[in-house]
Amino acid sequence: MKQWGIYIAAAIAITFVAVVAMHPSYRQRRMVTQLQRAPSAEDKVRLIQEIIDLSPASAGDILEQYTQHDPTVAFDPLHVVGLISDTTSGKVHIVGDGMLASSFSVGDSPAAKFREIRFLKSDSLLTRFILLEVEGLATPRYREYRFRYDDGELAGEAFDSVRPDDITRWQAEGIWPF
């Protein structure tokens, strides 16, 4: 009879470990460890999208923390959308909740690559990211990537140059990320 108690205790322990290991938040945190070691932008895109797909509700906070250590990734936790810069190819990858991962590039020259991407701000209607072009330019050049929302659904995207008066306004608001 004593032996049955050991088997039952072992079965409970194994079940507990399996449940914890399969929980989305545990799996997301494990993927962040893989993300920190990801050798390429494509690997980052894949892992970030998997983290989002597991649980969009907790992905926002997890990925927002990760972006503090990787200047090539920016993330909006409100709309669960992010940008990843591939500093080798010049592509910028887009990931998000309910989105298919996509990418875009700007021109063919090395100057069209972005060395840093930062989240600027978001509200119910708009998410804004600022992209800093690669070094080697006399004056830093910034671009803005916006997602527009209508009733919580993605309604459009826009990519524009950042003007000096934009920077001045955002600095006065205390939200300029650079």
Side-chain angles (χ1 to χ4, degrees):
M1 208 47 145
K2 194 179 206 182
Q3 202 169 17
W4 283 105
I6 293 172
Y7 291 138
I8 291 171
I12 291 170
I14 290 170
T15 302
F16 178 74
V17 169
V19 166
V20 168
M22 295 308 294
H23 193 272
S25 64
Y26 175 79
R27 291 174 58 202
Q28 283 176 318
R29 300 243 179 241
R30 212 174 67 223
M31 284 183 192
V32 169
T33 302
Q34 295 171 0
L35 182 59
Q36 292 167 341
R37 294 187 226 134
S40 69
E42 288 79 16
D43 290 332
K44 290 177 186 179
V45 169
R46 180 184 51 78
L47 286 163
I48 289 171
Q49 191 63 57
E50 285 180 28
I51 289 168
I52 294 167
D53 291 344
L54 274 172
S55 174
S58 61
D61 293 335
I62 291 169
L63 292 172
E64 186 178 35
Q65 289 175 8
Y66 169 75
T67 63
Q68 295 172 8
H69 306 288
D70 188 342
T72 64
V73 179
F75 198 78
D76 171 17
L78 176 64
H79 293 286
V80 191
V81 64
L83 300 178
I84 299 110
S85 177
D86 185 335
T87 57
T88 306
S89 73
K91 288 184 179 179
V92 175
H93 302 274
I94 303 169
V95 294
D97 182 24
M99 301 173 76
L100 291 174
S102 61
S103 63
F104 67 90
S105 7
V106 180
D108 298 327
S109 74
K113 296 178 185 172
F114 301 99
R115 67 179 168 134
E116 289 186 45
I117 300 178
R118 302 280 172 86
F119 170 65
L120 181 65
K121 70 177 186 175
S122 70
D123 57 32
S124 62
L125 301 175
L126 200 62
T127 293
R128 294 173 175 225
F129 293 97
I130 303 298
L131 297 85
L132 172 62
E133 291 191 18
V134 295
E135 292 182 52
L137 302 172
T139 304
R141 242 188 339 214
Y142 301 96
R143 303 285 185 104
E144 178 186 19
Y145 198 89
R146 293 184 306 273
F147 293 94
R148 189 173 44 82
Y149 298 91
D150 187 18
D151 289 328
E153 297 295 319
L154 183 62
E157 301 170 39
F159 188 68
D160 292 313
S161 294
V162 173
R163 299 180 319 259
D165 58 317
D166 293 328
I167 295 172
T168 303
R169 185 178 72 250
W170 292 329
Q171 286 173 332
E173 291 176 24
I175 60 171
W176 181 244
F178 289 98

